[in-house]
Amino acid sequence: MQSLTADLRYAVRQMINSPGFALTAVISLALGIGATTAVFSIIYAALINPYPYPHADQIMRLAMETKAGRGDWITLNGYQVQQLRKSPVVASVLAMDYHAMTLTGRDYPENVNVVKFIANGFHDLGLPPLLGRGLLPSDAPDGQEPQPVTVLSYKFWQEHYLGNADVVGKKIRLDQQPYLIVGVAAPRFTWYNPDVWVPLCLTQDPLRTFIVDIFLKPGVTNAAADAALEPLMHEFAHQMPKHYPEHFKVRVEGLNEWVTRSISGTLYLLLGAVVLLLGIGCGNVSILLMARGTARQHELAVRSAIGANRRRLIVQLLTESLLLAVTGAGIGVALSFGILAGIKTLLPRYAFAPEVVVRVNVPVLLFSVGVALLTGVLFGLWPAIQLSRTQLGEALQTNSRRMAGSVRSRRTHQALVAGQIALTLLLLAGAGAAMDGFLQTIRAPLGYDPHNVVSIPIPLRDNSYTSWAARANYFEELRKAVSEVPGVKLAVITHNGSLPSGGWDARFELRGKTTSEQPVGLINFVSPGYFAALHIALLQGRVWDGTENRNAAHVAVINRTLAQRYYPHGDALEHMLKLTQLDDRPPRVLTAPQIADSWLTIVGIVDDVRNDGLKNPAKPAIYVPYTLSMSQFTQIFVKSAVAPMTLAHTIRKQLTRVNPEQQTYDPQALEAWISEEPEWQQEHLTAWIFGIFAALALVLAAVGLYSMVSYAVAQRTNEFGIRMALGAQRGDVMRSVFAANLASVSAGVLAGLTLALALSGVIQKWAGGRSGDPVILVAGTLLLSVVSAIACGIPARHATEIDPMTALRFE
């Protein structure tokens, strides 16, 4: 213990006596450890500990897989929920439904996102409320109307009640009805992320379906659950054929599987990038330790002469490197808070479940300490072993500066530099691939113009405008009111045409066409001005007019992909199609009379638009008058002559003139929808983070190369003095310095190119571009070569300025 304390004191003195060395080493490590800590914080929160519920691993979602590979969630009616509860693999069922309700008392009605939640849900999820209680079975007795009680979300409570603990027992008016506040949910209880929860009543209406999750019984595997639930789901499909595809398989998936499927690869790729950055930082410290330790060989020889064995020398040198590592880790952890805040601004908005809290916490701090200790051992062990091999007689009789130029020392330095160069080039190639993938995404043609278009989402209250005519007239009245706002060029209605991922995925029939499987396409319910507002080109035929829209005319417009697939001879116009999955489910969904059995005439063909994300090719699409089927939600697209968000408040005021109780969701610009697409956000994140880390790696590699060359030049001062005294020119000295480092840089570049080509497939999958692209590799190699030349050139220039007489007296 005493020797360890002495080693620590000596290591501290060494750092104080060599501030430049200590600062460079600590910063190199702090950048790597800080970045690694920040990225691991995200991985821990999103993939390791995403949910606060005690038995989250037993909660499953029901999905169905089709031949097309789609994995839509399954919704069930009240009777089917009761049947599902009886399954031998199911311990409990969580059923819920989304609603929009109105909170009054402000300038305009405020929309409140409501989840009607089955009364056993709070108990089954097992996370106690912060205040009061959760929903209870007594709040929704079977066969009776639910009690008007509600549980507030933590966020809603903070925003509307300023965290007042006396809120329990008070009432809140939703849709003009008083609801008793019985509790406030815990901060991380955000099940389906509403503002409030109210009790759900499982009705016997076969067309009223609910979102369902299930608790599997302990010990039941996903495969066993799939096999047990498959016959039951096919029985439900037989009861409600319009709600299911023709052929499907049942699959249960964990709560976080969608996150793992969508972004986990990107996060692990970023973790790999920061590990590379940390490796480059460790390489820097190793170079510095070797250089500094070589200069101390005489000291180490003296220690050995007075009785210190090799083990004792290794322990001392390792203590110094561990002190550097721990210091770097401490600064790195402090730095990680800022890095994490920066990365969080780049994370996709809906990348993770709302329960996820990204922060530096105890497990992350333990990870950081472990990384620090590991790096301390790794980057300090090799120099310690090398330096502990000091030959006593040689060290005492030979000048240490000459020993520094030993073949073994030079090879070790060159290997470390080559490793840094290789890892840096790999990061540069990854950054180039990520940026290339992102540029391809943002440059991809959309097929429509989102500029100066904003969506005004409009939910209807329950049991309002319950007849088809009343709802159609009301929607048209709202559209006309918005079109009268100064600055509005066009106002159009669309229920679901929210590009670049819009439409309702549904089956349809084509009269006179036989296919092996019923065609599937994206059905869009829009008003006729939709195409003009988004500048979607009309290729053939026409678009229905306002009168046809009001009368729910049986007409349709199709996109080019559908026309080419099913009418390759260009004769699609005047053919007929039928939408087979339209249901009249009053009051929630109101369809035009007999539309489910009617054929629609194809009157026009429009050009393709991005309707399945930013990378996938356009799907077959059908556009029909929105009056054919109207749910309790619609949206108005506003095309304006000015920045549309500046009109949002005026538009909302105009809507309240039509109906003082009409609430809206927050307006959204269509251009913002593009940046909220998963592909855009993930590639934007990867491009930024890879770019920043690659730049840091380039700086660290340059510092490492500069340190090695500067040290080598210092050791060769006497040699350069003799050469210049014998007539060598400055150019000869510079060439000698560059030639001494050409091998290590070249080896590093070749190793980096090999790694970039080998990992090109992995990087392309998660970063979008190919790290093996010749342009990217050439650009990365040139950039690294220029930086390496500068890092070598500065010490080389200093070598040419050595005075021969001074150099001869250097020893």
Side-chain angles (χ1 to χ4, degrees), residues 718 803-811:
N718 182 261
D803 179 54
M805 295 307 296
T806 302
L808 291 173
R809 292 194 298 268
F810 193 63
E811 297 297 338

Side-chain angles (χ1 to χ4, degrees), residues 565-753:
R565 181 173 301 179
Y566 298 105
Y567 302 98
H569 302 297
D571 58 343
L573 296 184
E574 300 306 319
H575 279 78
M576 312 287 279
L577 61 84
K578 181 190 292 185
L579 306 180
T580 60
Q581 292 183 268
L582 289 184
D583 275 331
D584 190 37
R585 291 177 283 155
R588 309 198 92 195
V589 178
L590 304 175
T591 60
Q594 299 180 343
I595 188 61
D597 299 319
S598 300
W599 291 94
L600 310 182
T601 303
I602 299 173
V603 297
I605 302 173
V606 295
D607 205 357
D608 287 339
V609 298
R610 294 279 177 178
N611 58 13
D612 189 29
L614 297 174
K615 289 196 168 183
N616 298 322
K619 285 185 174 181
I622 301 170
Y623 303 88
V624 297
Y626 75 83
T627 48
L628 291 183
S629 181
M630 296 174 290
S631 68
Q632 290 180 301
F633 171 85
T634 193
Q635 55 188 332
I636 299 178
F637 278 7
V638 177
K639 177 75 172 179
S640 62
V642 297
M645 296 302 289
T646 62
L647 303 177
H649 184 76
T650 306
I651 290 172
R652 279 176 156 174
K653 285 288 189 183
Q654 187 78 342
L655 291 172
T656 59
R657 290 192 179 98
V658 177
N659 179 0
E661 296 184 359
Q662 180 58 62
Q663 74 272 35
T664 65
Y665 292 116
D666 291 334
Q668 295 177 305
L670 262 64
E671 287 178 306
W673 281 352
I674 295 171
S675 62
E676 289 180 359
E677 283 294 300
E679 306 100 309
W680 193 98
Q681 293 195 341
Q682 288 185 33
E683 291 180 6
H684 178 253
L685 168 70
T686 309
W688 266 100
I689 301 302
F690 251 109
I692 293 171
F693 289 167
L696 290 175
L698 193 63
V699 172
L700 291 178
V703 170
L705 183 58
Y706 174 83
S707 300
M708 189 200 80
V709 177
S710 296
Y711 181 75
V713 167
Q715 308 313 307
R716 297 175 65 188
T717 300
N718 182 261
E719 173 197 337
F720 291 147
I722 294 173
R723 287 191 179 195
M724 295 181 73
L726 294 175
Q729 301 299 311
R730 289 189 172 188
D732 298 325
V733 174
M734 291 194 70
R735 280 192 295 273
S736 175
V737 173
F738 274 98
N741 297 283
L742 180 62
S744 58
V745 173
S746 299
V749 169
L750 288 175
L753 291 174

Side-chain angles (χ1 to χ4, degrees), residues 282-575:
C282 291
N284 255 5
V285 179
S286 291
I287 290 172
L288 292 170
L289 282 175
M290 284 291 294
R292 186 166 171 271
T294 303
R296 293 170 57 194
Q297 280 189 329
H298 192 80
E299 169 204 333
L300 297 175
V302 171
R303 287 176 175 270
S304 179
I306 60 177
N309 58 31
R310 188 181 180 194
R311 177 180 175 277
R312 186 73 186 81
L313 295 178
I314 291 176
V315 170
Q316 179 192 318
L317 294 171
L318 272 180
T319 302
E320 294 179 19
S321 63
L322 283 172
L323 180 62
L324 286 175
V326 171
T327 306
I331 297 174
V333 168
L335 191 63
S336 69
F337 286 91
I339 296 174
L340 183 59
I343 294 177
K344 284 168 70 173
T345 63
L346 299 172
L347 284 172
R349 184 177 176 185
Y350 301 110
F352 314 132
E355 288 90 345
V356 169
V357 177
V358 180
R359 63 188 176 202
V360 178
N361 51 23
V362 173
V364 173
L365 289 176
L366 293 176
F367 169 81
S368 301
V369 171
V371 169
L373 295 176
L374 181 62
T375 53
V377 171
L378 288 179
F379 71 67
L381 188 60
W382 176 251
I385 292 174
Q386 293 295 309
L387 295 171
S388 68
R389 292 174 177 170
T390 302
Q391 299 297 317
L392 177 60
E394 181 183 351
L396 293 175
Q397 297 174 19
T398 307
N399 190 277
S400 65
R401 296 186 184 277
R402 288 183 184 146
M403 288 180 61
S406 68
V407 173
R408 185 175 63 194
S409 178
R410 286 199 303 270
R411 285 178 178 173
T412 301
H413 283 168
Q414 289 171 350
L416 288 171
V417 169
Q420 282 189 312
I421 295 292
L423 297 181
T424 302
L425 184 54
L426 177 59
L427 269 179
L428 287 173
M435 293 175 185
D436 179 56
F438 182 56
L439 288 175
Q440 289 180 28
T441 298
I442 63 177
R443 290 173 178 171
L446 297 172
Y448 68 97
D449 179 14
H451 183 62
N452 274 5
V453 181
V454 67
S455 165
I456 311 293
I458 299 175
L460 297 184
R461 291 171 50 190
D462 277 353
N463 301 315
S464 60
Y465 305 98
T466 55
S467 73
W468 176 85
R471 189 168 293 182
N473 291 335
Y474 180 63
F475 283 163
E476 180 60 21
E477 194 175 356
L478 293 177
R479 189 200 66 79
K480 283 184 177 179
V482 172
S483 67
E484 294 169 1
V485 173
V488 172
K489 296 170 67 175
L490 274 174
V492 300
I493 284 181
T494 169
H495 297 330
N496 58 353
S498 306
L499 301 171
S501 295
W504 169 40
D505 219 356
R507 302 194 301 271
F508 61 91
E509 291 182 14
L510 297 171
R511 177 178 282 180
K513 295 284 182 178
T514 57
T515 57
S516 58
E517 188 170 345
Q518 193 169 6
V520 176
L522 294 174
I523 317 301
N524 300 270
F525 300 92
V526 301
S527 61
Y530 176 83
F531 306 98
L534 296 180
H535 294 171
I536 299 175
L538 179 66
L539 303 180
Q540 284 183 259
R542 66 179 182 88
V543 175
W544 62 91
D545 58 29
T547 301
E548 289 174 310
N549 193 78
R550 285 191 298 274
N551 296 331
H554 294 181
V555 294
V557 169
I558 62 175
N559 71 343
R560 178 160 49 90
T561 291
L562 191 150
Q564 291 177 345
R565 181 173 301 179
Y566 298 105
Y567 302 98
H569 302 297
D571 58 343
L573 296 184
E574 300 306 319
H575 279 78

